Amino acid sequence: VQKAVTLSDIGKEVGLSVATVSQVLNGKSGRYSKVTRGRVIEVARNLNYKPNMAARSLKTQKTLTIGLVVPVLSMELDEVEEICASKGYTLSLAVSHNDPGRQHDKILELRQKHVDGIVLVHPRKDCKAVEQLRAEGYPLVISDVAVNYPEVDTFLIDLKGSIRVAVQHLVDLGHHRIASILSQSDSHYSQLRYKYWKEETVNRGFDSYEDWCFPLERMPYPVAKSIYHSSYQSARMFLERFEKDDPLRPTAIMAITDRVAMGAIKAFEEAGWRIPEDISIISAEATEMGRFCSTPLTSIEINHVKCRSEALIHLISLTSGEDKGSRPARRTFGLELVYGQSTSRPCFL
Amino acid sequence: VQKAVTLSDIGKEVGLSVATVSQVLNGKSGRYSKVTRGRVIEVARNLNYKPNMAARSLKTQKTLTIGLVVPVLSMELDEVEEICASKGYTLSLAVSHNDPGRQHDKILELRQKHVDGIVLVHPRKDCKAVEQLRAEGYPLVISDVAVNYPEVDTFLIDLKGSIRVAVQHLVDLGHHRIASILSQSDSHYSQLRYKYWKEETVNRGFDSYEDWCFPLERMPYPVAKSIYHSSYQSARMFLERFEKDDPLRPTAIMAITDRVAMGAIKAFEEAGWRIPEDISIISAEATEMGRFCSTPLTSIEINHVKCRSEALIHLISLTSGEDKGSRPARRTFGLELVYGQSTSRPCFL
DNA sequence: TTGTACGCGTTATCAA
DNA sequence: TTGATAACGCGTACAA
């Protein structure tokens, strides 16, 4: 454990006061002679001076740190860290596991550590902590999905659109008996998708959205993470209920993500059903994997990376006080249908 | 932006000095009367007092923050955050993208921010920053893979074992013409695996490990992340070189990870090869996905989560000064062969 | 152009 | 059992 060099160390070395050294190093212009400036900077470098962030924070009330609260860590967050770093911020991480209590606590802890602002990735709804921070005017941005936070700046993916486009694709192919596999209770993200699914099917006059919605059984952290297996089980339920040659059975399934689609496909293949001949499966949320599994998935590409990056950039502009736009800021990002081979015209018409 | 309540606020409220309040709140035993203790704690709660971490850090020289440097973010890091939080630490995150320069800088930045310690997940070798911190006695632990850091505490996965077990499984099935798909130059992690692959095949007297090793072309961040596609391309190379009925062609492939295996399988299936009848494929690093793709992968389960968790726990014990064991600490974690359906006896004997 | 002095909120020492 | 007081390292009025 090394003793760090301070402003006063530099001051001693060059025979100047701490104040002057500080001024020079912080680039306050015109407050020093060219020669001292040179000496100070040189000595600072030689001594390998690094400002003590704790002291600086105490004085400036800034930490140059951004808090990030996510339900779970993923590769899609790399970009966020990258942007933080490029702007001189450090990333303080908190994982909520979709647990409302955890989320609440993590947010408050981050605030207490005086991060300069917080990015919230699809938080659960009605979080007291969020409302509190907003009321305090604390820099805060929500990414991906936000419900019941009318006053908070939000950068959203088009969740409703993802369901709509998925269903529309199936309808375009001629399907009108469509089932789904999705979670109804896990995160708010999931609840929303269920809601949109319901609206979408009801609006189209389809039969029982409820009866044909196969829920994913999800266990809370840390018990189970296997979304694949949950989906596999849901598909088995489907198979227990419908015979392949039943002309009134669903001819297509909207799986809520690629992993859900894969878990389901496994069950169907085990039962001797072919994809897409016997049943079409579309995923409402694409991953790279979906393009490389045996039956490439037809799916909806959602640009999470872009959404979160923009959210972060906005947050940083907030903390820098360059908030030019009208409040609250709102923005929604687009989607793209990725054509795979897991969907085709229905087996029955 | 709210003004935080300080010790002196509490002091004013109860009519005591800051010193006393601080003592009470920090639980210095026996230094106060029961009654003041009660008053102080009550008022502190009422006022919702939260200590100012910047000030505390300035005084104590501790930040209650742990730095984590990883090549890329992944779900397997959730546990690390969880442990940090449960011990009262915050996680400061840095992503290196396997870039030596970035890694170097990130480590130094973290240290400058005065994190109490750093966990390094398979760093590249010969990092000057690592050596420097170690020399300073800065709390530092390496997880997963570490080469040329003889003095640093390391918590390792059995990378060599993973290659050995994978090859052994193929040999047990009767294969003796085994090819591989792996990266030779991306991260040090990759380089090591290539080395072990070479040793393993040479030791067994197999033919040209070099000639039959199909490299993954990897682009540096942020150009390309598609390991699937790289592997797909490598498998296409294989297919250009070998006919299915060539009795001297490789009968099995060791793919370095599940995703690599899947990319390869896609290429083979497109070319009309069946897995495992026409060629066996084993993955040297399992993921959950491997159990749910159409042909469940035979693979080696590596417990990264456990390894990193233990590394972190050790690091925290270091920063707390409860370093009981001998230095440097070293520990290696075990493996497990997961039986799938992507391997079988060779097509030619 | 430079130096003095103070305060940020805590903790620690020592005297009361 | 408590309270002044002095740091921790930095930024910044204000004086020189």
Side-chain angles (χ1 to χ4, degrees):
Chain A
V1 186
Q2 194 101 332
K3 190 115 189 203
V5 12
T6 73
L7 284 183
S8 107
D9 292 332
I10 301 181
K12 253 161 223 155
E13 185 77 12
V14 290
L16 288 172
S17 76
V18 240
T20 310
V21 177
S22 172
Q23 302 280 17
V24 172
L25 259 29
N26 286 338
K28 301 298 178 191
S29 51
R31 297 236 2 191
Y32 40 79
S33 71
K34 279 271 181 274
V35 47
T36 44
R37 179 188 142 87
R39 292 259 311 125
V40 167
I41 291 183
E42 184 196 344
V43 171
R45 181 157 34 221
N46 287 348
L47 263 39
N48 191 28
Y49 167 76
K50 303 290 180 192
N52 180 317
M53 295 312 284
R56 176 177 281 179
S57 295
L58 184 57
K59 188 65 187 169
T60 63
Q61 312 284 21
K62 298 225 159 289
T63 54
L64 291 184
T65 297
I66 296 287
L68 178 68
V69 182
V70 296
V72 58
L73 250 24
S74 75
M75 234 170 54
E76 281 76 33
L77 295 166
D78 280 358
E79 189 80 11
V80 168
E81 196 276 345
E82 189 64 23
I83 293 172
C84 264
S86 75
K87 305 251 180 188
Y89 286 85
T90 302
L91 200 59
S92 237
L93 196 66
V95 181
S96 73
H97 298 294
N98 262 323
D99 178 72
R102 257 201 182 77
Q103 173 182 287
H104 177 92
D105 296 347
K106 301 271 185 187
I107 292 174
L108 259 31
E109 280 166 22
L110 246 23
R111 198 268 312 262
Q112 181 198 339
K113 287 237 173 181
H114 296 97
V115 298
D116 293 342
I118 297 183
V119 174
L120 240 40
V121 176
H122 57 83
R124 304 199 57 127
K125 66 176 170 181
D126 303 325
C127 180
K128 197 76 189 64
V130 174
E131 191 41 49
Q132 178 183 337
L133 293 214
R134 196 210 54 77
E136 290 175 9
Y138 200 97
L140 176 71
V141 173
I142 296 178
S143 170
D144 286 30
V145 167
V147 178
N148 289 2
Y149 297 118
E151 301 298 328
V152 182
D153 289 4
T154 50
F155 288 68
L156 306 179
I157 57 174
D158 185 8
L159 207 52
K160 179 168 188 166
S162 70
I163 304 290
R164 177 171 33 76
V165 172
V167 172
Q168 184 65 49
H169 172 72
L170 294 175
V171 167
D172 288 346
L173 287 171
H175 294 273
H176 55 278
R177 289 192 305 281
I178 304 174
S180 65
I181 301 180
L182 45 75
S183 168
Q184 295 172 21
S185 58
D186 186 21
S187 68
H188 194 50
Y189 196 83
S190 302
Q191 290 169 30
L192 264 186
R193 292 193 284 201
Y194 177 66
K195 179 184 150 212
Y196 294 141
W197 156 255
K198 174 176 164 180
E199 289 176 6
E200 195 61 36
T201 50
V202 167
N203 286 346
R204 292 175 186 274
F206 288 164
D207 289 348
S208 41
Y209 65 84
E210 212 167 11
D211 198 31
W212 284 2
C213 177
F214 292 81
L216 288 171
E217 279 199 53
R218 296 287 284 144
M219 307 294 285
Y221 175 87
V223 180
K225 284 196 168 184
S226 182
I227 188 92
Y228 293 97
H229 189 255
S230 301
S231 179
Y232 174 83
Q233 297 287 17
S234 299
R236 302 265 303 175
M237 300 267 90
F238 182 103
L239 286 162
E240 278 184 21
R241 224 171 108 191
F242 299 109
E243 296 293 328
K244 201 200 290 190
D245 56 6
D246 175 355
L248 291 180
R249 67 165 172 86
T251 55
I253 293 182
M254 187 197 71
I256 207 61
T257 68
D258 273 13
R259 299 202 303 212
V260 170
M262 280 193 62
I265 287 175
K266 168 152 244 38
F268 280 109
E269 287 183 340
E270 279 183 7
W273 294 44
R274 291 158 305 162
I275 318 291
E277 292 83 353
D278 295 323
I279 190 157
S280 285
I281 297 189
I282 191 170
S283 146
E285 187 169 328
T287 60
E288 200 189 351
M289 176 189 68
R291 295 212 300 279
F292 285 91
C293 49
S294 294
T295 305
L297 302 176
T298 300
S299 56
I300 314 301
E301 179 91 38
I302 298 177
N303 200 338
H304 287 103
V305 173
K306 178 80 174 168
C307 181
R308 292 163 194 182
S309 299
E310 293 293 329
L312 174 61
I313 290 170
H314 177 71
L315 178 68
I316 291 178
S317 88
L318 282 185
T319 67
S320 314
E322 340 160 339
D323 182 20
K324 48 226 165 179
S326 60
R327 310 292 307 279
R330 299 205 162 270
R331 197 164 149 203
T332 301
F333 295 84
L335 305 166
E336 199 178 336
L337 176 61
V338 179
Y339 292 93
Q341 291 159 31
S342 64
T343 53
S344 67
R345 314 203 59 191
C347 29
F348 310 109
L349 287 177
Chain B
V1 185
Q2 194 100 334
K3 189 113 187 205
V5 11
T6 73
L7 285 183
S8 109
D9 293 332
I10 301 181
K12 254 161 222 156
E13 185 78 12
V14 290
L16 288 172
S17 77
V18 243
T20 310
V21 176
S22 173
Q23 301 282 16
V24 171
L25 260 28
N26 285 336
K28 302 297 179 191
S29 50
R31 296 238 359 197
Y32 40 79
S33 70
K34 278 270 179 277
V35 47
T36 45
R37 180 188 140 88
R39 291 260 312 125
V40 167
I41 291 183
E42 185 195 342
V43 171
R45 182 160 30 225
N46 287 348
L47 264 39
N48 191 29
Y49 167 76
K50 303 289 179 194
N52 180 317
M53 296 311 285
R56 177 176 282 178
S57 295
L58 182 57
K59 190 63 189 170
T60 64
Q61 311 284 21
K62 297 224 158 292
T63 53
L64 291 184
T65 296
I66 296 288
L68 178 67
V69 182
V70 296
V72 58
L73 285 175
S74 76
M75 234 171 54
E76 281 77 33
L77 295 167
D78 280 358
E79 189 80 11
V80 167
E81 195 276 344
E82 189 65 24
I83 293 172
C84 265
S86 74
K87 305 251 181 189
Y89 285 86
T90 302
L91 200 59
S92 236
L93 196 65
V95 180
S96 73
H97 297 295
N98 262 323
D99 178 71
R102 257 200 181 78
Q103 172 181 289
H104 177 91
D105 296 346
K106 300 271 184 186
I107 292 174
L108 259 31
E109 280 166 22
L110 246 22
R111 198 268 312 262
Q112 181 199 338
K113 287 236 173 184
H114 295 97
V115 299
D116 293 343
I118 296 182
V119 175
L120 239 40
V121 175
H122 59 82
R124 304 198 58 125
K125 66 178 171 181
D126 303 325
C127 179
K128 197 77 192 60
V130 174
E131 190 42 48
Q132 177 183 337
L133 293 213
R134 195 210 54 77
E136 291 176 10
Y138 200 97
L140 176 71
V141 173
I142 296 178
S143 170
D144 286 31
V145 167
V147 178
N148 289 2
Y149 297 119
E151 300 298 327
V152 183
D153 289 5
T154 50
F155 288 68
L156 306 179
I157 57 174
D158 185 7
L159 207 53
K160 179 168 187 166
S162 71
I163 305 291
R164 178 172 31 77
V165 171
V167 172
Q168 184 64 50
H169 171 72
L170 294 174
V171 168
D172 289 346
L173 286 171
H175 294 272
H176 56 278
R177 288 193 305 280
I178 304 174
S180 65
I181 302 180
L182 45 76
S183 169
Q184 294 172 22
S185 59
D186 187 20
S187 67
H188 196 49
Y189 195 83
S190 302
Q191 290 169 29
L192 264 186
R193 292 194 284 201
Y194 177 65
K195 180 184 149 210
Y196 294 142
W197 156 255
K198 173 177 165 180
E199 289 176 6
E200 195 62 35
T201 49
V202 168
N203 287 345
R204 292 174 185 275
F206 289 165
D207 289 347
S208 42
Y209 64 85
E210 212 168 8
D211 198 32
W212 285 3
C213 177
F214 292 80
L216 287 171
E217 280 198 52
R218 298 287 283 145
M219 304 296 282
Y221 176 86
V223 180
K225 285 195 169 186
S226 183
I227 187 92
Y228 293 98
H229 189 255
S230 300
S231 179
Y232 173 83
Q233 297 288 17
S234 299
R236 302 265 303 176
M237 299 268 89
F238 182 103
L239 285 161
E240 277 184 22
R241 224 170 107 190
F242 299 108
E243 296 292 329
K244 202 202 289 190
D245 55 7
D246 174 356
L248 292 181
R249 67 163 172 88
T251 56
I253 293 181
M254 187 196 72
I256 208 60
T257 69
D258 272 13
R259 299 201 303 210
V260 171
M262 280 193 61
I265 286 175
K266 168 151 250 24
F268 281 108
E269 286 183 340
E270 279 183 6
W273 294 43
R274 291 158 304 160
I275 319 291
E277 292 83 354
D278 295 323
I279 190 157
S280 285
I281 297 188
I282 191 170
S283 146
E285 187 169 330
T287 61
E288 199 188 352
M289 177 189 68
R291 295 213 298 280
F292 285 92
C293 49
S294 294
T295 305
L297 302 176
T298 300
S299 56
I300 314 301
E301 178 91 39
I302 298 178
N303 200 337
H304 287 103
V305 173
K306 179 80 174 170
C307 180
R308 292 163 193 182
S309 300
E310 294 293 330
L312 173 61
I313 289 170
H314 177 71
L315 177 68
I316 291 179
S317 87
L318 282 185
T319 66
S320 314
E322 338 160 342
D323 183 20
K324 48 229 165 177
S326 59
R327 310 292 307 278
R330 299 206 163 269
R331 198 164 147 202
T332 301
F333 295 83
L335 305 166
E336 199 177 337
L337 176 61
V338 179
Y339 291 93
Q341 290 160 32
S342 64
T343 54
S344 67
R345 313 203 60 191
C347 28
F348 310 108
L349 286 177

